[in-house]
Amino acid sequence: MPQFRQFANPAPLGLSSFALTTFVLSLHNGGIGQKFGSPPNVVAGLAFFYGGLCQLLAGMWEFASNNTFGATAFSSFGGFWMAYGVIITPFFGVGEALAAAGGNVKAHAIGIFLLGWVIMTFILFLATLRTNLGLCLLFAFLDITFILLCAGDWTGNGHVTKAGGYMGLFTALIAWYIAASDLIGHHNSFFVLPNPSLAPRSARANLEDSKTEEI
């Protein structure tokens, strides 16, 4: 039987890169640590390289690990961060072109962009209902974050955008927690972080049996 090289678990990298980039942008959206409405260019580097490239790579490694959900989620949000980086980076001229159109064109255009991610995130949320509690909460709160940010851009209501920023901070903390629960174990620490399974008992039993057989 041919032997295939096994990959390390790419999920902690994908979750950590998503969490940190979301955390920084959410501080900006919430007006925490800086004036609300200031340019979000500080997140551009993270959007391209950590939240973007690293998360995209994590998605590719999930493909190699035969994890369709992880591959789809990480690759998609890696693409999201790269796309957002293009919007806020002056070199590409996207934000400037939208701003030059005047009125609410830029805000409404970003709102449309975010609406697409509301839909995508909801689809991914439906695919987490029988995984684990952390992952389910992550996509639920992320979808709420996108809804608030989308509504804030469409209505021009800064309070709604700030609420989206606060929700994004909570979402980032959940992602960090899941990453930590994957990284921290009895093999390298004195404790583990619980992340309850939402799978039916029969499915959990089959998974435990398969792990026992592998051992």
Side-chain angles (χ1 to χ4, degrees), residues 88-140:
I88 64 175
T89 302
F91 173 80
F92 295 98
V94 176
E96 288 70 16
L98 291 172
N104 296 323
V105 171
K106 182 178 180 180
H108 288 176
I110 294 177
I112 293 171
F113 172 76
L114 293 173
L115 178 61
W117 288 100
V118 169
I119 298 169
M120 181 64 191
T121 304
F122 183 70
I123 293 171
L124 291 170
F125 164 71
L126 294 178
T128 67
L129 297 178
R130 295 176 69 174
T131 56
N132 58 66
L133 183 60
L135 207 57
C136 188
L137 290 176
L138 172 63
F139 282 94

Side-chain angles (χ1 to χ4, degrees), residues 173-185:
L173 293 177
I174 295 174
W176 262 323
Y177 179 89
I178 303 170
S181 71
D182 281 347
L183 283 172
I184 299 171

Side-chain angles (χ1 to χ4, degrees), residues 138-153:
L138 172 63
F139 282 94
F141 282 101
L142 178 59
D143 209 27
I144 295 171
T145 300
F146 278 133
I147 290 171
L148 290 171
L149 294 176
C150 177
D153 280 323

Side-chain angles (χ1 to χ4, degrees), residues 11-31:
L13 171 62
L15 287 162
S16 297
S17 58
F18 171 82
L20 196 152
T21 313
T22 301
F23 182 80
V24 173
L25 181 60
S26 295
L27 287 174
H28 168 81
N29 288 332

